[in-house]
Amino acid sequence: MITSAQDTQAWSKRAHDAGETIGFVPTMGSLHRGHLSLIEKARAAADRVVVSIFVNPLQFGPGEDFERYPRSLESDLEALTDRGVDVVFTPGLSDIYPLGPENTPTVSAGKIGDMFEGEHRPGHFDGVLTVVARLFQLVSCDVAVFGKKDAQQLIAIEQMVARDGLPVRILRGDIVRDDDGLALSSRNVYLTPEGRAHALILHRELNAIRDATDPLERINQARDTVREAPGVELDYLEAVSGDTFTPWRDNPTGEMVVVGAIRVGTTRLLDNVWLGIDTASRTGPADGAQ
Ligand code: AMP
């Protein structure tokens, strides 16, 4: 385990000097099988693997769950044994923000930062990109893996890498789910058994959309079903472009992703399905056929 920025930089330099590539998986801890699947992907793509655990205050808004976000370093370290992880980087606040979070200029997410999650959590993606950029700088990773579970975050990071010319390749990790279908999330611990049962409606409706002959049409029905379901509040349910995260109807490019967010009590849960349909395999609207 490495806790300081300097030691991480020194370790990375040694690895690169030895001709090794570095794969990186940033997390906020409270590790589950979703995180472990990203680690496996990083191992397959690079010689060495670094996992970071840091609960980033900059990505939490006022009144959000920064204080009560689950922290479990001991069991996290246990979960990481025998996983082929070379370094667990657990920085302190001053390693990431030497000037303090409030004096740190944030990296702007641009337009994507104001949509969907960004509309509900102003400044969230600027906070995410700020920490990710800093971690990339410290770890000097060649490859970094992010989960499709947080599709908007993943695409915002891809956009930052392209825009700022960061020398890192981003890999997309598939969503890992519990047996009942609920996408694994560190925040699932907030759910009561009843809340959890209610939360499954989003997963069920996303599957129905995925399997429908006309997914776009099916989304309207799914929205009504979730709105009428007990114990959940719908924030959004929408088809977006897997390239740009803009609404599919405005920009049907890349793979279609149907993204949803619900609230179960005070817990916000995200889920999505990637439809495996892209513009190349469809008769696209460019032909006027859709
Ligand atoms: P977090 O610790 O929540 O910041 O997540 C760290 C990384 O794990 C992010 O890239 C997430 O997208 C990813 N992740 C979270 N949940 C899952 C999941 N159920 N399956 C795959 N990846 C996930």
Side-chain angles (χ1 to χ4, degrees), residues 1 30-31 53 71-81 90:
M1 190 167 96
S30 217
L31 301 179
I53 299 178
R71 290 162 172 88
S72 53
L73 185 58
E74 217 168 287
S75 57
D76 285 350
L77 293 177
E78 210 168 291
L80 291 175
T81 44
T90 56

Side-chain angles (χ1 to χ4, degrees), residues 2 13 90 131 175 204 245 247 268 274 276 278 285:
I2 297 184
K13 182 168 183 324
T90 56
V131 78
I175 302 178
R204 279 202 298 272
F245 213 83
R268 280 189 87 244
W274 296 63
D278 60 32

Side-chain angles (χ1 to χ4, degrees), residues 26-28 32 34-35 38 146-147 149-150 153 174-176 184:
T27 81
M28 297 207 298
H32 50 64
H35 298 114
L38 305 187
F146 293 86
K149 155 80 169 40
D150 301 286
Q153 167 176 287
D174 288 334
I175 302 178
V176 178
L184 292 178

Side-chain angles (χ1 to χ4, degrees), residues 13 29 56 93 109 122 146 249 280-281 289:
K13 182 168 183 324
N56 173 35
L93 193 61
F146 293 86
R249 61 177 177 276
S281 63

Side-chain angles (χ1 to χ4, degrees), residues 88-103:
V88 184
F89 179 35
T90 56
L93 193 61
S94 62
D95 292 288
I96 300 297
Y97 303 118
L99 307 180
E102 63 290 348
N103 296 319

Side-chain angles (χ1 to χ4, degrees), residues 6 22 28 42 80 109 138 156 202-203 210 226 228-229 252 265 277 288:
Q6 288 81 357
I22 300 172
M28 297 207 298
L80 291 175
L138 294 177
L202 179 58
H203 168 61
R210 182 197 58 203
V226 178
E228 286 159 18
I277 308 166

